[in-house]
Amino acid sequence: MKLVLAVIQDKDSGRLQDALIEADFHATKMASTGGFLRAGNTTFMIGTEDENVNDLLDLIRSHCQSRTQVMTPIASLDGNTDGYVMHPIEVEVGGATVFVLDVDQFKHF
Amino acid sequence: MKLVLAVIQDKDSGRLQDALIEADFHATKMASTGGFLRAGNTTFMIGTEDENVNDLLDLIRSHCQSRTQVMTPIASLDGNTDGYVMHPIEVEVGGATVFVLDVDQFKHF
Amino acid sequence: MKLVLAVIQDKDSGRLQDALIEADFHATKMASTGGFLRAGNTTFMIGTEDENVNDLLDLIRSHCQSRTQVMTPIASLDGNTDGYVMHPIEVEVGGATVFVLDVDQFKHF
Ligand code: NI
Ligand code: NI
Ligand code: NI
């Protein structure tokens, strides 16, 4: 038995939760902040059998991996962009920091 | 030394906390959601010596174990239940998911 | 690799967070309550290599250690303290409860 603690961005939280339910992993969520990722993240606590840890890690990676998104900057409020061209820019989103811990005893009452 | 993480229903949280204090266990609580139990649960983090783990697990089970409660459904707002008889129904409440982890070092500053 | 869980008083949280960033430790914070310390505490979750655990523990101790502060009690609202002298009193603040756990696997996606 392992306990997997995954710190992910809030924006990936819903997608990961749906994927965990679909794959029959049982997770508890806690609000967390700062540090590993930009402010506003979620810590998932997931108990699983040793033989399912790799599947769980794959699932976390595929739903939360750090990636770039193309965004077009919003024009100034007064619309006064004149001769400037608004170039799309890339921003980094997502990412996950994951700890896998050994469980000495697991109980469900 | 062990670290015990117990995810329980909010409604059992006060009773468990009182019992932990009475039995001289030191616990920290964190709000958590979803997964193991229905929405709205509490995660207790409790450090204890190895020889007290069984007592702690007994205490968690006795205060949080999954159980049924008999509830009488509330009549419709307009009171128009006519010939219907309101039968009491059983609902499941409580439950606990508990992880016991080995502690490599414990410090109190 | 270790996972360090440190429960500290809210009032030390900002100072510890700044010190962790300065020393290049990556931490995630969660709001927690009760138990180890008086109500209103913060749980830091910090992953670090085994060889840096002692430095991390020193840093937590130096920023959060239980200590006394001298406070002068506030006079009554109606100012009617008459012949009473307000003596400064000592109050205990700070403190940290720290668990160091072994990490089986660490991933950063
Ligand atoms: Ni999906
Ligand atoms: Ni009791
Ligand atoms: Ni400092």
Side-chain angles (χ1 to χ4, degrees):
Chain A
M1 190 80 190
K2 302 289 188 214
L3 178 63
V4 175
L5 296 173
V7 184
I8 69 161
Q9 271 203 321
D10 284 344
K11 69 175 295 169
D12 290 333
S13 173
R15 292 170 65 231
L16 179 59
Q17 186 163 24
D18 291 347
L20 290 169
I21 290 168
E22 233 175 288
D24 206 28
F25 286 109
H26 292 194
T28 295
K29 286 192 306 177
M30 284 179 281
S32 50
T33 52
F36 296 119
L37 304 167
R38 285 118 309 209
N41 49 54
T42 300
T43 296
F44 280 78
M45 200 165 80
I46 311 154
T48 190
E49 297 301 326
D50 293 40
E51 62 263 33
N52 296 328
V53 167
N54 285 340
D55 284 350
L56 175 54
L57 293 175
D58 284 347
L59 195 148
I60 295 170
R61 186 178 49 230
S62 66
H63 286 86
C64 308
Q65 192 159 22
S66 180
R67 61 209 181 266
T68 52
Q69 262 180 1
V70 174
M71 273 183 53
T72 303
I74 296 164
S76 62
L77 273 176
D78 61 3
N80 188 8
T81 55
D82 294 334
Y84 296 109
V85 178
M86 294 287 110
H87 288 290
I89 56 167
E90 288 197 332
V91 293
E92 202 185 329
V93 296
T97 298
V98 186
F99 301 96
V100 181
L101 307 175
D102 274 316
V103 172
D104 189 60
Q105 277 192 76
F106 172 71
K107 299 280 178 184
H108 196 80
F109 299 132
Chain B
M1 189 82 190
K2 301 290 188 214
L3 179 64
V4 175
L5 296 173
V7 185
I8 69 162
Q9 270 204 321
D10 284 343
K11 69 175 294 169
D12 290 332
S13 173
R15 293 170 64 232
L16 178 59
Q17 185 163 25
D18 292 346
L20 290 169
I21 290 169
E22 233 176 289
D24 207 29
F25 286 109
H26 292 195
T28 295
K29 286 192 305 178
M30 283 178 282
S32 49
T33 53
F36 296 120
L37 306 165
R38 284 120 309 210
N41 49 53
T42 300
T43 297
F44 280 78
M45 199 165 78
I46 311 154
T48 190
E49 297 301 325
D50 293 39
E51 62 264 32
N52 296 327
V53 168
N54 285 340
D55 284 351
L56 175 55
L57 293 175
D58 284 347
L59 195 147
I60 295 170
R61 185 177 51 230
S62 65
H63 286 86
C64 308
Q65 191 158 24
S66 180
R67 59 208 181 267
T68 53
Q69 262 180 3
V70 173
M71 274 183 52
T72 301
I74 296 164
S76 63
L77 273 177
D78 61 2
N80 187 8
T81 55
D82 295 334
Y84 294 108
V85 178
M86 293 286 111
H87 288 289
I89 56 166
E90 289 198 334
V91 293
E92 202 185 329
V93 295
T97 299
V98 187
F99 301 96
V100 181
L101 307 175
D102 273 316
V103 173
D104 189 59
Q105 277 193 74
F106 172 71
K107 299 280 178 184
H108 195 82
F109 298 132
Chain C
M1 190 81 188
K2 303 289 188 214
L3 179 63
V4 176
L5 296 174
V7 184
I8 68 162
Q9 270 204 321
D10 284 342
K11 69 175 295 170
D12 290 333
S13 173
R15 293 171 64 232
L16 179 59
Q17 186 163 25
D18 291 346
L20 289 169
I21 291 169
E22 234 175 288
D24 207 29
F25 287 109
H26 293 195
T28 295
K29 288 192 305 177
M30 284 179 280
S32 50
T33 53
F36 296 121
L37 306 165
R38 286 119 309 212
N41 50 53
T42 300
T43 296
F44 280 78
M45 200 164 79
I46 310 155
T48 190
E49 297 301 325
D50 293 40
E51 61 265 31
N52 296 328
V53 168
N54 284 341
D55 285 351
L56 175 54
L57 292 175
D58 284 347
L59 195 149
I60 296 171
R61 185 176 51 229
S62 65
H63 286 87
C64 308
Q65 190 158 24
S66 180
R67 60 209 181 267
T68 52
Q69 262 182 2
V70 173
M71 275 183 52
T72 303
I74 296 164
S76 62
L77 272 178
D78 61 3
N80 187 8
T81 55
D82 294 336
Y84 295 108
V85 179
M86 293 288 110
H87 289 290
I89 55 167
E90 288 197 334
V91 293
E92 203 185 327
V93 294
T97 299
V98 186
F99 301 96
V100 181
L101 308 175
D102 273 315
V103 173
D104 188 58
Q105 277 193 76
F106 172 72
K107 299 280 179 186
H108 195 80
F109 299 132

